[in-house]
Every structure is written in C-alpha cells, then in structure tokens.
Amino acid sequence: MSLSLLDSTSNTKQPPRPSTPPGPPPPNSTRITPSFLSFGVVCSSNINRSMEAHVVLANAGLTVESYGTGTQVRLPGRSAMEPRVFKFGTRYEDMYKSLAATDEDEAFFTQNGVLGLCQRGAAVKAGPQRWQDTSNSDVTKHDVVIAFEERIYDAVVEDLQTREPTEDFEPIHVVCLDTKDNPHEAKVQGRVALELCWLLEMTAKRVGKDGLVVEIPEILDAFQNERLKHTPIKVLHQLCYL
C-alpha cells in the first residue's frame, strides 16, 4: 500500500490540482482574479458536490469557497449503515490516511471513489468547512451561494436569517440547484453551476450588484427553462440580507 501522495513527512508531495472538466467558460467571458462576484458553493459534507463546483468555478477564474451544512462529514462505507464519519475541519489528507489504513480498506475506498474525493479535496484546500460555523465576516464576502440540494438550501437560508445582521446589511442570493449526491451528477451540475455563475457574473458587471437584485429572478427563470430542454433541473432562489 502506498500513501506517497499524502505522506506526512517533511517532503510531502501534494496531489496535483485537478483540471477543469471538459469545456471552456462561455464565449466572450474573461478570466478575472478576483471576479466581480464572490460565490459560495454548499453541499452536505463539502467533499463531493460543493468540491466539484469549487474546482470548476475556481479553474474558470471565479472567486469561490466551498462548505458543508451537515453535523459531520459522512462518507460512504461498506454499507448504508456503516458510513465513515469525520469531524468538519479534519484534513482531507488525514481522511485519506484513515480510509487507506489497510490494504483491504485502500482497495475498497479506491473502488467506491471516496479516496479520489479525498485526494481532490487535499489538492484544493486543507479540509471541509462547515457553513454554520463560518464567521459573518467570511459569509458576507459572498454575493451568491449555490446549494446543491433543497434541504441544504433551506439550511443556508435559515442560517442567514438567524444571524446577527451586519452594519453593511448587503444582499446574498441563495440559489438551489438540486443534485443527487454521486460523483457523476456532481460533475454534470458542476458545469451547470459554472454556466449560471458566469451568467450572474457578466450581468453583475453590466448592471452592478444592486441591479442584479432586480434582474436575477428573470435570469433564473430563463436559465431553468433553457436547462429543462436538456435535463430536469429545479432552481430555487431566496434573497437574504446580512
């Protein structure tokens, strides 16, 4: 068994940063660092859906951070009744090492794709972050938050509505792109999220953030109708202030 990619010695070699999935950003788009808008992407455990979107958006030049809303990071185990559970903040490297502790475990978690998810996470940031534990100062950096499941969308909206308002009281758009929690669907919706985020980015550059508040309902309706021609997708939107 080899753990050379995630060895904890002084000559640690990190996994290579993943490349953007096939397909360039939309035509006429320009890489901007930082982008005009800041995006948050959220799933349950910050290891599959939100991390896929984190990689895709970041590699396309958008400012993004990813989060989870669960109480713990839950990864598929040998059965539905035996998930592997970690605390938020546990380093992806340490998850990898734990899951590959024996040859048998390494083979199993390689086959079910979980080690690959940990490896990708370690290439992007230290460990999964929990949305509800994130400070107001960090949350309010985001203009748009994409949630990849309706219950996660509800959790983000509820969290924003119960936080102590800041002096600036700026708008935060929370959008739901409902996505099944598996790597294939995460890749598909990662590209959908990129399309939507580039559309919002270009609109905000044209009309400003206040203008986006006015235009986003129509943008999302048109986006959902267009995407329905290709794949069923349910888009929800809640305007919050913090």
Side-chain angles (χ1 to χ4, degrees), residues 39-43 144-148 173 175-177 193 196-197 200:
F39 298 90
V41 288
V42 191
C43 66
V144 178
V145 178
I146 307 292
F148 289 98
H173 301 277
V175 178
C176 178
L177 297 178
L196 176 59
C197 290
L200 297 177

Side-chain angles (χ1 to χ4, degrees), residues 179-240:
T179 306
K180 292 181 180 179
D181 192 6
N182 64 63
H184 172 73
E185 291 299 323
K187 286 184 180 297
V188 172
Q189 291 295 70
R191 290 298 304 175
V192 173
L194 176 58
E195 292 176 22
L196 176 59
C197 290
W198 267 116
L199 181 60
L200 297 177
E201 170 77 5
M202 294 302 107
T203 301
K205 282 188 64 183
R206 176 173 55 84
V207 303
K209 294 181 181 181
D210 290 339
L212 183 63
V213 171
V214 176
E215 295 199 11
I216 194 170
E218 185 176 343
I219 291 171
L220 294 177
D221 283 345
F223 184 81
Q224 176 172 267
N225 291 336
E226 175 61 27
R227 292 304 308 180
L228 281 172
K229 297 177 183 177
H230 308 288
T231 181
I233 183 172
K234 182 179 181 181
V235 180
L236 302 175
H237 171 248
Q238 177 68 50
L239 176 61
C240 299

